[in-house]
Amino acid sequence: MRSIVQAAAIAGAFFFCVGAASPPRIDYTLTPILENGNLTAVQIDLSFRGEADGESDLRLPDSWGGQNELWRSVQALEIVSGATNLRNGEQPNQRILTNRPNARVHVRYRVIQDWDGVPRAELGNTYRATIQPSYFHLIGNAVLVTPGAANNDSPVRFRVRHLPRGWSFASDLQHPRLTLEKIWSSVIVGGDFRILRDPHSNVRLAIRGAWSFEDRQLLDQAAGIISAHRRFWNDPRSPYLVTVLQLAGPEGWVSVGGTGLDDAFAFFATPNGEQDTIIRTLAHESFHTWIPGQIGDLPQDDQALQYWLSEGFTDFYTARMLVRGGLWTPEQFATDLNEGLLAYAQSPVRTAPNSRILADFWTDRDVQRMPYLRGRLLAMIWDARLRQNGRGFDDVVHAMRARAAHGGQYAEEVFVASAPALGLDLGADIQTYVTNGEAILLPEDLLAPCGRLATREAPVFHRGFDIQATQANNNIIAGVDPGLPAYAAGLRDGMVLIRRDGGEIGNAEMEIAYVVRDGDTERTFRYMPRGRGTFTTQRLELVQNLEGEHLAQCLRAIAG
């Protein structure tokens, strides 16, 4: 039986705390601020022990998840007690307090939404503070002011007070043993969210708005995915929260995305998000609970250099665990892999060095996807090598977790140290395919029990117009190429893109169909979305009639 938890059922304040510990505890208290019944801000009270020398450093949120100047959402920062002066520091996100030595300091500030309107798909995932009249959605990294001298292991107590009657509240901070590091990687929502809980898996769902699926259906899927991941890692049934924030968007726009946090998944999607995409996104982000954090973590600087591991290995296990958990068939696995192989083969940055990934990860969509693709393909190759000796990639990541528990190394270092002990010869693979960016070609028999990886030349995919310029121009079509089939079919600059009614993005061998508005008339254009020239691509071709022992062998190859 599922249960819906409403804030009205909980009297007073929420208390989520740790016991006495050293260093001293840091306290946060969150209070919604309403005017005429509408939420306008969220007040946060911060209490901590000041420095012994009488000067304490405060750090406001700055950069995270591709967002900059997050400190702009922090307003009206003031001293309540324990200090006498507050001044600006050397950096825009720094403040300096004058306090009595070792005094308990209490400061207060408000979190506002520093951008206009409602969350929209065109803006990407809404990592900045979202304050709307009937709800709030906050990511710890984007809203929490922290004492600069505190370490990551500092214990934290988090409380919420004075929620309006009928409001719901959910956060992955609703459990004990919080630390400063954990609260940064958190999500906090309140308002007209619907909160559901699966008692068997200890997974909760916080969702608002109307969707094409039922709340409980999504909760069941999330619970199944997360439970399978815990079994893989032999972990207990700890609390896990999935939040879903609905994005508005132009007609026909489909967007599904999210970010994995410490023990939560913050999900962002348009209401027409496809269920298969939602399931895959959940599976990917959930696995980030363990990769990379529990197999070595990432450095604070130049993190993108190791995204081939953190994102690529996670993508490898996304597909593997969906098959292992019975949520995907070999056919669905093949479809997903083939989409990735096609995207990799057509990527204009397929052979870009890892230095390019570092430089342009947050500004170039093609660059952003490349670490996912590279890391997954390399993991498949390494898994196949291990299977020849009766092992598998599962042995590697479990060994990495055991090694990382001792601390002191980043994920790539842990991987390089762990793999050879299990008989995996990495050779020059990382230097060749990651650092230098040479193209990866999968062996034809890599997944032999399932079928063959066929290599062939295929026509280049091109919509016939510039999709990014079109989206940036309120879906007014731009950049139609007179030499391509779209133009021959009648598509022109200035028409308004309504939706895609057929075809497959990246597949130049399937007819595509776009519905557009041409003046006062709605028209549909159908054509082969081909560009100029060809490229080399690979595709997993499954054998016919996979069943019995043959099916079992295939499942072992792709699901471990």
Side-chain angles (χ1 to χ4, degrees):
M1 180 180 294
R2 313 292 184 207
S3 59
I4 299 179
V5 182
Q6 295 292 338
I10 305 176
F14 295 94
F15 291 89
F16 321 123
C17 63
V18 293
S22 183
R25 191 182 69 205
I26 300 169
D27 286 271
Y28 290 90
T29 302
L30 182 151
T31 307
I33 305 297
L34 284 79
E35 294 181 7
N36 300 319
N38 293 323
L39 183 71
T40 59
V42 169
Q43 177 180 294
I44 296 181
D45 286 78
L46 165 63
S47 176
F48 63 98
R49 191 177 73 180
E51 293 302 298
D53 65 0
E55 278 203 346
S56 298
D57 179 32
L58 286 180
R59 295 291 171 155
L60 280 61
D62 188 15
S63 299
W64 183 81
Q67 299 291 316
N68 297 310
E69 298 184 347
L70 291 166
W71 43 266
R72 292 188 180 278
S73 69
V74 175
Q75 301 286 311
L77 179 62
E78 62 178 355
I79 297 168
V80 178
S81 63
T84 57
N85 184 51
L86 174 66
R87 68 181 190 274
N88 293 334
E90 295 180 358
Q91 302 299 323
N93 70 317
Q94 182 184 27
R95 302 291 185 271
I96 307 297
L97 284 166
T98 303
N99 57 272
R100 297 188 303 274
N102 296 316
R104 192 72 183 173
V105 175
H106 178 187
V107 298
R108 175 179 296 155
Y109 63 97
R110 290 191 174 192
V111 176
I112 60 141
Q113 180 174 303
D114 67 339
W115 48 276
D116 295 330
V118 300
R120 298 192 62 84
E122 308 97 296
L123 304 177
N125 295 341
T126 312
Y127 295 145
R128 304 186 83 91
T130 301
I131 308 291
Q132 294 290 308
S134 63
Y135 73 91
F136 59 84
H137 181 285
L138 310 173
I139 301 289
N141 280 295
V143 301
L144 294 178
V145 175
T146 56
N151 61 50
N152 288 351
D153 296 326
S154 296
V156 170
R157 179 173 66 176
F158 185 87
R159 298 180 290 181
V160 177
R161 292 196 231 191
H162 305 310
L163 285 176
R165 183 179 298 277
W167 273 37
S168 299
F169 174 82
S171 174
D172 55 330
L173 300 179
Q174 291 173 271
H175 57 79
R177 295 180 297 280
L178 295 179
T179 64
L180 194 59
E181 184 174 32
K182 286 183 178 294
I183 68 163
W184 280 326
S185 183
S186 66
V187 60
I188 308 163
V189 302
D192 57 357
F193 283 85
R194 303 182 295 276
I195 315 296
L196 293 82
R197 177 177 176 270
D198 175 56
H200 304 293
S201 63
N202 210 4
V203 173
R204 289 182 300 153
L205 171 68
I207 188 170
R208 64 180 305 279
W211 300 84
S212 60
F213 49 82
E214 297 294 327
D215 294 350
R216 286 183 175 83
Q217 181 184 8
L218 181 59
L219 177 63
D220 288 342
Q221 293 166 343
I225 289 167
I226 294 161
S227 294
H229 291 176
R230 289 171 177 161
R231 287 194 297 271
F232 175 80
W233 293 103
N234 297 314
D235 276 5
R237 190 180 59 112
S238 56
Y240 194 91
L241 174 66
V242 175
T243 64
V244 185
L245 185 64
Q246 191 169 99
L247 305 178
E251 184 179 0
W253 189 298
V254 180
S255 178
V256 175
T259 182
L261 300 164
D262 184 64
D263 44 19
F265 165 44
F267 190 67
F268 307 87
T270 50
N272 57 354
E274 296 178 2
Q275 189 168 335
D276 289 346
T277 306
I278 291 170
I279 291 173
R280 195 190 192 287
T281 305
L282 282 169
H284 179 95
E285 298 300 338
S286 167
F287 216 78
H288 272 315
T289 299
W290 297 273
I291 294 180
Q294 296 189 28
I295 62 168
D297 216 338
L298 300 179
Q300 289 296 315
D301 298 321
D302 299 342
Q303 282 192 359
L305 291 176
Q306 294 193 30
Y307 284 170
W308 66 271
L309 188 155
S310 63
E311 297 296 350
F313 286 11
T314 298
D315 229 28
F316 169 79
Y317 274 105
T318 297
R320 167 164 283 196
M321 298 305 296
L322 284 168
V323 174
R324 185 178 295 181
L327 293 172
W328 271 8
T329 63
E331 289 75 18
Q332 288 171 297
F333 173 89
T335 297
D336 181 76
L337 175 61
N338 289 336
E339 288 175 357
L341 288 170
L342 190 61
Y344 177 74
Q346 294 189 96
S347 174
V349 296
R350 181 176 64 157
T351 56
N354 211 27
S355 57
R356 173 79 187 278
I357 307 301
L358 174 64
D360 297 334
F361 183 83
W362 293 110
T363 58
D364 188 301
R365 293 182 183 180
D366 294 313
V367 169
Q368 194 170 67
R369 192 171 184 189
M370 187 49 54
Y372 294 72
L373 299 168
R374 277 183 184 161
R376 179 183 182 180
L377 298 181
L378 287 172
M380 290 178 65
I381 291 172
W382 293 329
D383 180 63
R385 288 182 194 168
L386 286 163
R387 281 191 281 112
Q388 292 176 352
N389 299 316
R391 289 187 175 273
F393 208 68
D394 295 0
D395 298 313
V396 174
V397 294
H398 282 295
M400 290 178 68
R401 192 189 198 193
R403 182 181 292 269
H406 301 291
Q409 290 182 308
Y410 295 125
E412 184 174 325
E413 298 171 308
V414 175
F415 174 62
V416 171
S418 301
L422 295 167
L424 176 57
D425 181 10
L426 297 174
D429 284 354
I430 296 176
Q431 179 68 36
T432 301
Y433 300 114
V434 176
T435 306
N436 298 341
E438 290 190 21
I440 301 168
L441 198 65
L442 298 180
E444 182 179 1
D445 62 350
L446 187 78
L447 298 172
C450 303
R452 63 187 285 265
L453 281 150
T455 303
R456 67 186 182 92
E457 291 297 305
V460 170
F461 173 87
H462 198 294
R463 294 175 177 85
F465 62 95
D466 188 331
I467 185 63
Q468 294 189 19
T470 298
Q471 292 172 345
N473 195 30
N474 295 318
N475 272 14
I476 299 174
I477 292 175
V480 176
D481 189 326
L484 296 182
Y487 186 89
L491 198 66
R492 297 292 186 270
D493 287 350
M495 295 179 178
V496 179
L497 178 62
I498 298 176
R499 65 182 180 274
R500 176 168 57 88
D501 252 6
E504 180 181 291
I505 299 303
N507 188 349
E509 298 172 299
M510 179 184 295
E511 184 180 70
I512 202 165
Y514 281 108
V515 179
V516 306
R517 186 176 298 111
D518 182 10
D520 296 329
T521 304
E522 188 172 291
R523 305 174 63 185
T524 299
F525 293 95
R526 301 181 184 275
Y527 55 92
M528 298 302 291
R530 294 185 175 180
R532 296 175 175 86
T534 62
F535 65 99
T536 302
T537 186
Q538 292 189 288
R539 181 177 181 84
L540 174 59
E541 297 177 347
L542 294 176
V543 299
Q544 297 295 316
N545 302 319
L546 269 175
E547 56 186 20
E549 180 57 28
H550 201 172
L551 173 60
Q553 292 175 3
C554 174
L555 290 173
R556 284 194 292 271
I558 61 179

